[in-house]
Amino acid sequence: MSSQKPLAGGRVTLRTIAELTGLSLSTVSLSLRGGTTLKPETRAKVAAAAEQLGYVPDRAGVRLRTGKTNVIALVLDGAEDSIDFARQMIQGIGQAIKGTRYHLTVIPEFERGDAVDTVSYVLENRTADGVIITHTRPRDPRVQLMIDAGFPFVTHGRTGFDTPHPFHDFHAEAFVATAVERLASKGCHHVMLVVGDDSTTNHHNLMGAFERATASAGIGARVMKGTQGMPPAEMRRMAFELAQEAGRPDGILCDSEMRTIALASGLQEAGLQLGKDIELIYKQTSGILPTLFPALDSIREDVFAAGGELTRLLLRRIEGADASHLQTLGEPQPQWRSERNR
């Protein structure tokens, strides 16, 4: 195969690849569409030439011929307060579509009210073959739109709809049960749950699981609500005041790394020693907090793996798989860093 590339500024076409490989236009076209009837060495030869030449499919032409865009859209909640969530999610999806015909479009949403308009635009203009959405609500209007349209989609989070739809979600109930069991084993008798956005399905799952787990363990339970969107300085002040209460909790479970940083700062400012005067377990989504607080226990959500799983489910749905068979949970991964018992 010649190593010669087209002249600068020249658009690489199927004919360019055909001339470089010595194959016919029909063979090149079939190979780039994933034709399984071709010999593996032929497909490899075409793929190598396309990569060498920097070939980019003509999306308009593909859509006219097949009705497909070869695009999946990620509608990403811009209010996310888990550290490194977006990067890991995007990388997980990118890894999963590597080697496929699909490309990723990321649509950040900074106002939740706009998310319905975004999904409506995708549906009306068919700018993607499928959609991934995050931060679902029990009766999420975006989900209803796509169910009604019969459009392929998958959610990062569960909903309350009777009609089954594809989803992958962090197993919030197992996360809470594991954390409460850990806190009880370390001698905690009064545990507080610090949670954020009360509009999501995840929030309701956390609350229900916390009530059940603390009742089963026979320990006191308390919830700090309304922290979504709270400035870190305000959260730090609340933690400082909490530390000085006579009946303060001796264990805290937090659903966010951002909130954990503010909490830990306020507790320490009040003179409490984390892991000694008060236990704190948080949901980990990055490697930052273990560096800042190496003695704190955490329970990890593998966001990169979640991105890959969401993509796998969506591609299967696009191919026509039954939605009820495309529902999975990501199991929590305990990261116990201190074995000291109280």
Side-chain angles (χ1 to χ4, degrees):
M1 183 185 301
S2 169
S3 61
Q4 184 178 0
K5 291 190 177 183
L7 294 176
R11 183 174 179 275
V12 178
T13 66
L14 296 181
R15 185 174 298 280
T16 314
I17 298 174
E19 291 174 352
L20 182 63
T21 59
L23 299 170
S24 68
L25 275 174
S26 60
T27 298
V28 170
S29 177
L30 179 60
S31 180
L32 290 174
R33 296 199 308 271
T36 57
T37 58
L38 297 174
K39 295 180 180 179
E41 54 266 32
T42 299
R43 297 201 304 271
K45 185 176 184 180
V46 172
E51 182 177 1
Q52 175 188 338
L53 293 169
Y55 172 72
V56 177
D58 181 347
R59 298 197 186 284
V62 170
R63 183 174 179 180
L64 285 173
R65 290 193 306 272
T66 67
K68 299 289 186 180
T69 64
N70 291 345
V71 171
I72 59 176
L74 168 64
V75 181
L76 189 64
D77 192 300
E80 173 56 41
D81 54 12
S82 294
I83 296 174
D84 214 25
F85 178 92
R87 182 186 68 84
Q88 292 186 71
M89 176 65 69
I90 292 169
Q91 286 188 340
I93 296 171
Q95 180 64 34
I97 61 175
K98 187 176 182 180
T100 74
R101 65 179 181 272
Y102 288 97
H103 297 262
L104 175 65
T105 295
V106 180
I107 310 172
E109 290 293 353
F110 298 101
E111 295 292 338
R112 290 214 171 138
D114 295 338
V116 174
D117 295 335
T118 297
V119 170
S120 295
Y121 180 86
V122 172
L123 294 178
E124 292 168 3
N125 296 279
R126 286 300 191 267
T127 56
D129 295 336
V131 173
I132 299 172
I133 63 173
T134 66
H135 300 78
T136 52
R137 286 163 277 175
R139 304 294 298 181
D140 199 303
R142 301 170 298 174
V143 171
Q144 186 68 69
L145 276 174
M146 291 185 284
I147 289 176
D148 292 343
F151 191 77
F153 72 97
V154 62
T155 64
H156 185 232
R158 287 163 277 178
T159 66
F161 290 100
D162 294 329
T163 302
H165 66 77
F167 68 74
H168 177 72
D169 195 13
F170 181 60
H171 198 164
E173 297 88 339
F175 161 70
V176 170
T178 301
V180 170
E181 181 181 1
R182 174 67 169 177
L183 290 171
S185 73
K186 300 183 83 172
C188 294
H189 300 288
H190 184 194
V191 177
M192 171 179 278
L193 173 65
V194 180
V195 290
D197 189 353
D198 61 4
S199 69
T200 64
T201 311
N202 180 67
H203 175 274
H204 296 288
N205 292 338
L206 289 170
M207 292 285 288
F210 183 65
E211 181 178 345
R212 293 189 298 272
T214 50
S216 176
I219 59 179
R222 178 177 170 186
V223 178
M224 180 188 288
K225 301 179 182 179
T227 62
Q228 176 71 15
M230 180 182 289
E234 177 66 11
M235 174 70 72
R236 186 170 185 264
R237 183 190 64 78
M238 288 181 64
F240 180 85
E241 294 177 353
L242 177 69
Q244 300 177 75
E245 291 182 8
R248 65 167 173 79
D250 51 8
I252 295 178
L253 169 58
C254 185
D255 72 336
S256 157
E257 287 187 323
M258 292 293 287
R259 282 186 277 278
T260 297
I261 291 174
L263 280 171
S265 177
L267 294 172
Q268 288 180 326
E269 182 185 11
L272 297 185
Q273 185 175 343
L274 301 178
K276 182 178 180 181
D277 300 317
I278 188 168
E279 299 290 346
L280 175 58
I281 298 179
Y282 62 93
K283 186 172 86 167
Q284 178 185 341
T285 54
S286 77
I288 295 176
L289 262 71
T291 301
L292 297 175
F293 306 105
L296 287 186
D297 288 337
S298 68
I299 299 178
R300 180 171 175 260
E301 176 183 7
D302 191 336
V303 180
F304 179 90
E309 177 66 359
L310 286 165
T311 306
R312 183 187 73 82
L313 296 173
L314 179 58
L315 296 185
R316 288 195 59 201
R317 183 59 175 160
I318 290 172
E319 293 168 356
D322 189 329
S324 63
H325 298 154
L326 304 176
Q327 300 175 336
T328 60
L329 294 175
E331 293 301 321
Q333 303 172 6
Q335 310 290 309
W336 302 152
R337 299 182 175 88
S338 170
E339 296 303 323
R340 181 194 59 77
N341 290 318
R342 295 168 78 86

